[in-house]
Amino acid sequence: MTSPDLGLLGTVRSDWTLEEARAIYTAPFSDLLFHAQRVHRENFVPNQVQVSTLLSVKTGACPEDCKYCPQSVRYDTGLDSEQLLDVSAVVEAAQAAKANGATRFCMGAAYRNPKPHQLQKIKVMVSEVRALGLETCATLGMLTPGQATELKDAGLDYYNHNLDTSPEFYGEIVTTRTYQDRLDTLQAVRDAGINVCCGGILGMGETETDRVSLLHTLATLPQHPESVPINQLVQVPGTPLHGLPELDPLDLVRAIATARLLLPKSYVRLSAGRTDMSDAVQALCFLAGANSIFYGDRLLTTPNPGRSHDEQLFQRLGIVPEQAAAVAG
Ligand code: SAM
Ligand code: DTB
Ligand code: SF4
């Protein structure tokens, strides 16, 4: 498809070619946004955005070498490490998130992979957070199929595990694990019956082809992730990627619109990096089909716009937070 008929797009497919994905990404900007918004409206309630809140339940001292990450033990970012939090502290944060309108609570841990005793405690966190009536999400690094099943049994609704970039560029960003390791965990999560949250980061020095290839990889997984976080790199001093040229905001919007067209029924989350985006760019991202954000003052270790700013932004744009779906007991 060299000159795509964007008007034909809108069905859920897993057989996209790389050339089709590229043709969508590079289409004239207004055509791309028009059709992304059309497909968005065919699949979702317009002007409604899902709201999740993040909590770092174990911070820093991670053995992995992800070049973007302030939590890697290999880079001096001045971050204070913290052991796995007490269950009561996590439940308190989840209660506050719920009171502020979040419907999903995501617990993040700076692990390569969780050890059995750590998983035991995290399972208690998951079941107690779920008992509050919140959807639960965790991101803990690599999982075995058995660990994924344990988390499912504890009540985990979503597992976040990002592919981060294209298979071709991955080795430039992470050397302590492979792309296939990531795919294996995603399969374990899927097989356990947990919803998959999987996306990537833009602004790491990747080419346009890498961006298209990441989106193509996500859209050709055997089953589309239910949730696709698109992060803009948060540049943290001390990490190897600090000081890179800033991402062109229009490329971010293109990536979101392409995700909306390639993965029509998936939630697309405008994820990290919003403190560096103008309100106008965020508005374009919502127009392009983004329909989820992280709400609250902090992501895991870096700042997020904060509640009052986002409330004002939603009001100015006529966006309402999506109401909680019933979480079965
Ligand atoms: N350690 C686990 C892992 O890597 O899967 C879970 C936590 S890790 C912090 C979760 C995700 O955060 C990463 O996959 C990456 O996509 C995102 N992330 C980390 N640092 C980031 C940064 N500086 N900017 C944007 N996204 C970032
Ligand atoms: C995702 O895709 N983005 C979130 C969440 N999943 C875990 C994490 C963003 C982290 C940004 C850097 C930080 O705050 O440490
Ligand atoms: Fe560790 Fe995850 Fe950060 Fe990589 S992204 S260094 S695995 S916390």
Side-chain angles (χ1 to χ4, degrees):
M1 186 160 79
T2 42
S3 109
D5 185 350
L6 299 181
L8 297 176
L9 300 177
T11 49
V12 173
R13 296 169 47 192
S14 290
D15 62 352
W16 300 102
T17 66
L18 191 61
E19 281 321 304
E20 283 174 315
R22 189 194 309 279
I24 295 169
Y25 183 92
T26 56
F29 191 77
S30 295
D31 293 351
L32 178 58
L33 257 68
F34 175 80
H35 286 287
Q37 180 63 207
R38 171 183 62 77
V39 169
H40 184 67
R41 281 167 189 254
E42 287 167 8
N43 292 285
F44 292 96
V45 180
N47 307 308
Q48 202 168 282
V49 167
Q50 190 278 332
V51 169
S52 297
T53 289
L54 264 177
L55 178 70
S56 181
V57 300
K58 186 270 173 187
T59 306
C62 181
E64 302 281 75
D65 71 352
C66 315
K67 285 199 176 114
Y68 48 78
C69 187
Q71 302 201 66
S72 167
V73 74
R74 299 166 196 239
Y75 316 129
D76 184 7
T77 59
L79 183 73
D80 289 330
S81 302
E82 252 185 280
Q83 304 241 329
L84 190 57
L85 296 180
D86 285 338
V87 173
S88 59
V90 174
V91 170
E92 224 171 90
Q95 274 163 336
K98 188 178 180 193
N100 289 336
T103 58
R104 191 176 309 157
F105 191 69
C106 180
M107 294 157 268
Y111 292 139
R112 171 177 164 82
N113 55 272
K115 307 216 163 32
H117 69 281
Q118 295 160 339
L119 198 72
Q120 265 334 97
K121 193 166 164 186
I122 291 165
K123 282 161 46 182
V124 180
M125 293 174 187
V126 167
S127 52
E128 296 211 4
V129 169
R130 199 159 196 276
L132 300 174
L134 283 161
E135 289 179 324
T136 54
C137 176
T139 180
L140 316 168
M142 294 185 275
L143 296 181
T144 64
Q147 288 181 314
T149 302
E150 282 188 57
L151 285 166
K152 170 72 183 171
D153 292 345
L156 191 69
D157 296 302
Y158 288 81
Y159 195 76
N160 166 245
H161 200 66
N162 290 336
L163 288 173
D164 283 334
T165 190
S166 66
E168 297 78 21
F169 192 56
Y170 197 72
E172 299 292 317
I173 300 297
V174 183
T175 69
T176 48
R177 55 173 189 259
T178 64
Y179 213 72
Q180 191 58 49
D181 289 331
R182 293 309 262 185
L183 293 168
D184 290 347
T185 292
L186 290 169
Q187 191 59 51
V189 168
R190 185 53 89 199
D191 290 345
I194 300 171
N195 292 303
V196 171
C197 172
C198 180
I201 309 178
L202 305 184
M204 300 197 292
E206 73 283 351
T207 62
E208 180 177 289
T209 299
D210 289 316
R211 282 177 204 148
V212 170
S213 173
L214 165 66
L215 294 165
H216 175 256
T217 304
L218 292 167
T220 54
L221 289 171
Q223 197 179 330
H224 288 174
E226 281 72 16
S227 175
V228 178
I230 303 291
N231 297 276
Q232 174 174 296
L233 174 69
V234 180
Q235 295 200 11
V236 179
T239 59
L241 298 187
H242 180 249
L244 280 180
E246 302 242 317
L247 180 67
D248 177 347
L250 297 185
D251 286 342
L252 171 70
V253 178
R254 278 189 181 278
I256 291 197
T258 305
R260 171 51 63 231
L261 289 166
L262 292 176
L263 302 125
K265 291 189 187 295
S266 303
Y267 279 78
V268 176
R269 181 173 306 119
L270 179 58
S271 201
R274 289 196 301 116
T275 51
D276 295 323
M277 292 170 206
S278 67
D279 289 348
V281 166
Q282 294 185 60
L284 275 178
C285 290
F286 295 128
L287 182 64
N291 61 343
S292 172
I293 60 163
F294 285 121
Y295 213 40
D297 296 336
R298 245 186 12 150
L299 292 164
L300 290 173
T301 68
T302 64
N304 198 43
R307 211 174 112 217
S308 67
H309 182 97
D310 283 339
E311 274 172 4
Q312 278 183 42
L313 179 63
F314 277 16
Q315 201 166 37
R316 287 166 71 206
L317 300 177
I319 287 175
V320 290
E322 188 179 280
Q323 295 301 304
V327 173

